Amino acid sequence: MGEAPRSAGAPPAHFVTGSTLRHVVVMGATGSLGLMAIFVVDLLSLLYIARLGDPVLTAAVGFATIVQIFAVSINIGMMIAVGALVSRALGRGDVGEARRLAASSLVLAVAASALVTALLLPLLGPFLTLIGASPETVPAARTFLWIALPSSLLMALGMGFSGVLRAVGDARRAMNVTLAGAAVTALLDPLLIFGLHLGVEGAAVTIVIARLAFAWVGYSGAVRVHRMVARPSLPAVVADAGPILRVALPTVLTNLAPPVASAFLAHVMAGFGTATVAGNAVVDRMVPVAFGGLFALSGAVGPILGQNWGAGCFDRMRATLRDAALVTGLYIAAVWLALLLGRGPLTALFGLSGAGADLLGFFCLAGGAIWFFNGLLFLGNASFNNLGFPLTASALNWGRATLGTMPTAWLGARLAGPEGAMAGMGIGSALFGVVGLVLAFRVVGVLERREVVTNPDADTEPPSEGQGRAPSQPTGTPLQDATSDP
């Protein structure tokens, strides 16, 4: 998939020196810009559909989004695995291993995406009905997904390339990957939906073209510029499958938990009528726009932790977690204020009324508190996935999606309607968010103690610029320790 590296030496491990706060802010900010661009145009796409004046179509796109999240979650899990493995290899100074792992990971990511798409397409009708789609909503949602869902393979490639770019510290080009998709969407959505009168089908076609741009820009940065993806080979993919899947499978399992929680919440909301479903669809699209920085921040923390673990810089790993938690709090404060001030105009913009308007207004009032704790959980999960404890991330995410969502959302709905369901979900988020961050610090301590026990003379101070060292592996490799309990 790529040519030989330009030089025999490994690219410098950028994150093992300099201010950890600066690394967190730069990687998080650039990631946020790219993600926010995608999410903003995604929200605009829903706005265009809402402007067609049919709440059924708005609800259909909302349900289709929930189904797509399952496929996207697979891609995110594979992207995290790519970033974790490549950044760790670069921290050790082994560029050859990094390039080979990148190539093998991308092949497996596309294969996984193809398998998920093949499984979902024949089951769209029953699945949409299961999560609460009404008979009049299902046909439009199914049409949208038959067009958009196969392009998940392109997204798998684009996200994989983005993971490689983040692993090498090229925040700008990683940002450009998502900006490319956002730009295409912003240009084509109004043209296809209104200009060519394609409606829901036009929105789906736009997604396909945007993901093609997504993959091409990622390829240009990871392969043509950095040459960090080797030419894939079947023997290498087979040999690397074990280490990759030991990170990817628990990570994918982790990322499947949020869509399960969303699907359950959508099912609960469906019991309150079409207006509530439309309001919930708007909230679902607004969440990544408002809090997309948290997704980007957790993605930014992973490579920083991975490189510093590879170099044995445990104090810098703790500093990275502290800095990321601080940035999370400041970010939430700013976004929450914006939501509080904008709840009236947002309700009018999407033409919501009645129960849908009430739900959006409640989200603007309470969303900041809910998502602060979600942000802490994201940081914890990023740590577990990149430091050899992905099963811990899976346990916490599934705990939040089940024990932290289902009983509390159900009870909240019975006591206070749709707003109560949303508040109930927030209560579970608070508990699991705090536990996640506490355990993240504990994981760093576990890794440091292992290093001291197996290599008493090891120096855990930051190495000289561009240099790293491999931490000792007391039980084989970090990946073999992935099932350990922190």
Side-chain angles (χ1 to χ4, degrees), residues 55-438:
V56 170
L57 294 181
T58 305
V61 173
F63 282 115
T65 299
I66 293 172
V67 176
Q68 282 206 109
I69 288 174
F70 281 91
V72 172
S73 296
I74 303 292
N75 295 339
I76 291 174
M78 296 301 297
M79 178 186 72
I80 291 172
V82 173
L85 294 168
V86 172
S87 65
R88 199 176 305 166
L90 291 176
R92 292 193 296 266
D94 192 339
V95 68
E97 181 188 15
R99 297 179 72 246
R100 190 195 73 244
L101 286 169
S104 298
S105 298
L106 286 166
V107 171
L108 291 173
V110 173
S113 184
L115 177 62
V116 171
T117 300
L119 291 174
L120 280 176
L121 284 175
L123 302 174
L124 288 180
F127 189 71
L128 287 165
T129 302
L130 178 66
I131 62 176
S134 61
E136 64 268 21
T137 303
V138 168
R142 186 165 50 200
T143 298
F144 182 96
L145 288 165
W146 268 100
I147 298 171
L149 198 56
S151 66
S152 296
L153 278 71
L154 295 171
M155 175 167 270
L157 275 178
M159 296 183 83
F161 289 133
S162 180
V164 173
L165 290 168
R166 291 196 169 281
V168 302
D170 192 341
R172 180 176 62 83
R173 286 192 173 87
M175 174 185 69
N176 288 342
V177 174
T178 47
L179 284 178
V184 169
T185 305
L187 290 172
L188 290 184
D189 247 347
L191 175 63
L192 297 183
I193 293 173
F194 296 120
L196 298 181
H197 306 288
L198 294 179
V200 168
E201 292 89 344
V205 170
T206 296
I207 286 177
V208 176
I209 299 173
R211 288 176 177 175
L212 180 61
F214 195 75
W216 172 251
V217 175
Y219 171 85
S220 298
V223 178
R224 302 179 70 180
V225 175
H226 287 284
R227 303 186 184 181
M228 275 303 302
V229 183
R231 188 179 300 278
S233 69
L234 182 59
V237 171
V238 172
D240 292 333
I244 292 169
L245 293 178
R246 277 196 290 270
V247 174
L249 289 180
T251 305
V252 167
L253 184 64
T254 299
N255 282 283
L256 283 175
V260 168
S262 295
F264 179 82
L265 190 63
H267 178 76
V268 171
M269 296 297 184
F272 294 98
T274 302
T276 298
V277 170
N280 190 54
V282 173
V283 170
D284 280 344
R285 292 295 181 96
M286 280 192 62
V287 161
V289 173
F291 302 109
L294 300 181
F295 304 123
L297 186 60
S298 63
V301 166
I304 300 172
L305 290 172
Q307 283 195 11
N308 279 286
W309 181 31
C313 304
F314 297 100
D315 285 343
R316 291 179 61 80
M317 293 164 70
R318 278 186 282 269
T320 297
L321 288 174
R322 288 193 297 268
D323 293 338
L326 172 64
V327 173
T328 295
L330 295 174
Y331 174 84
I332 286 293
V335 172
W336 199 355
L337 178 61
L339 287 174
L340 289 172
L341 296 176
R343 63 186 186 275
L346 286 170
T347 301
L349 179 65
F350 283 93
L352 296 175
S353 60
D358 292 341
L359 185 62
L360 178 59
F362 181 78
F363 166 75
C364 292
L365 289 171
I370 295 172
W371 280 89
F372 171 72
F373 293 105
N374 281 338
L376 297 185
L377 181 58
F378 292 167
L379 294 180
N381 287 341
S383 305
F384 307 137
N385 288 327
N386 284 272
L387 300 179
F389 293 88
L391 290 180
T392 303
S394 297
L396 286 175
N397 247 25
W398 278 97
R400 184 181 73 89
T402 53
L403 296 176
T405 297
M406 294 180 179
T408 53
W410 180 85
L411 181 60
R414 293 298 174 271
L415 295 176
E419 294 84 357
M422 187 175 292
M425 183 180 65
I427 292 171
S429 299
L431 173 63
F432 284 93
V434 172
V435 171
L437 188 63
V438 170

Side-chain angles (χ1 to χ4, degrees), residues 88 92 309 447 450-451 454 470-481:
R88 199 176 305 166
R92 292 193 296 266
W309 181 31
L447 296 176
R450 287 177 182 172
E451 176 76 3
T454 57
S472 301
Q473 306 302 336
T475 58
T477 71
L479 294 172
Q480 290 171 335
D481 295 335

Side-chain angles (χ1 to χ4, degrees), residues 24-34 175 296:
V24 168
V25 171
V26 170
M27 291 294 289
T30 53
S32 294
L33 288 173
M175 174 185 69

